[in-house]
Amino acid sequence: MSFKPGDRVVYPHHGAAVIERKEKRTAFGEETEYLVLRMAHGDLTLSVPADKAEEVGMRPPISQEDVEDLFELLRKKDVREPSNWSRRFKNHQEKLKSGDVYQVAEVVRNLALREAAKGLSAGEKSMLVRARGVLVSELSFALDVSEDEALDRVNEVLS
């Protein structure tokens, strides 16, 4: 897949971004083309080698049609996850690393349910904040709404 400036994309770990420009850089005698991404939230700019974009998991955001499937996943309440904290945490980290929006949504759902039932450790709280940020940034692109509106929708579906 070829990405170009102006495209909306999702970068694993950081969420939604817009490709601002392409630029060529020379390192070790080799010229490489980079995509410069401006993240949708925060003040972060990333450079990704154009030929490695797909390899690192960069992809287009989900379509509006996929949003309902995502909300369906968030509504599920019968969650099976390890009771052991470290296994659960590792499991959630793997899902976040995948860059798959459905796995990120699972992490948000599982942690939100656990927070409501038993409370979360500091590590799980920060993981929930990070996962929710990635999910909300992509949903704001998919639904073409602000991140605040997307967050409201997620919270509504989770309650």
Side-chain angles (χ1 to χ4, degrees), residues 109-123:
R109 178 200 61 205
N110 295 353
L111 291 175
L113 287 172
R114 187 163 200 84
E115 184 178 44
K118 301 177 182 155
L120 296 175
S121 69

Side-chain angles (χ1 to χ4, degrees), residues 136 139-140 143 145-155:
V136 163
L139 279 174
S140 75
L143 296 168
V145 297
S146 72
E147 285 196 12
D148 288 340
E149 290 174 80
L151 178 61
D152 289 346
R153 296 279 294 276
V154 167
N155 290 335

Side-chain angles (χ1 to χ4, degrees):
M1 169 173 268
S2 174
F3 296 106
K4 59 190 183 309
D7 284 355
R8 290 173 155 198
V9 295
V10 176
Y11 188 85
H13 310 296
H14 297 294
V18 175
I19 299 175
E20 285 202 322
R21 64 187 181 278
K22 286 183 175 182
E23 60 183 39
K24 291 189 187 303
R25 296 185 192 156
T26 305
F28 307 109
E30 269 189 51
E31 190 173 72
T32 307
E33 185 173 53
Y34 283 84
L35 301 170
V36 179
L37 312 180
R38 184 179 36 80
M39 303 316 294
H41 62 276
D43 201 19
L44 182 65
T45 303
L46 287 176
S47 295
V48 180
D51 60 341
K52 300 260 191 259
E54 281 184 61
E55 200 177 303
V56 299
M58 201 167 95
R59 60 177 174 75
I62 59 170
S63 68
Q64 203 159 3
E65 294 76 47
D66 294 329
V67 171
E68 197 45 51
D69 292 342
L70 197 68
F71 284 163
E72 214 39 59
L73 186 134
L74 288 172
R75 283 187 192 100
K76 272 191 180 160
K77 300 289 185 224
D78 59 331
V79 178
R80 288 185 191 84
E81 60 180 357
S83 55
N84 176 306
W85 182 90
S86 62
R87 275 205 196 100
R88 195 171 54 245
F89 193 81
K90 193 172 188 314
N91 189 343
H92 287 144
Q93 277 183 319
E94 292 300 314
K95 288 180 179 186
L96 290 177
K97 267 188 215 163
S98 76
D100 178 323
V101 70
Y102 292 100
Q103 291 197 21
V104 172
E106 273 184 44
V107 172
V108 169
R109 178 200 61 205
N110 295 353
L111 291 175
L113 287 172
R114 187 163 200 84
E115 184 178 44
K118 301 177 182 155
L120 296 175
S121 69
E124 286 177 315
K125 270 186 186 145
S126 84
M127 181 181 279
L128 175 58
V129 167
R130 199 169 67 247
R132 190 183 284 143
V134 169
L135 179 65
V136 163
S137 70
E138 181 162 359
L139 279 174
S140 75
F141 275 8
L143 296 168
D144 206 22
V145 297
S146 72
E147 285 196 12
D148 288 340
E149 290 174 80
L151 178 61
D152 289 346
R153 296 279 294 276
V154 167
N155 290 335
E156 200 177 290
V157 170
L158 284 170
S159 60

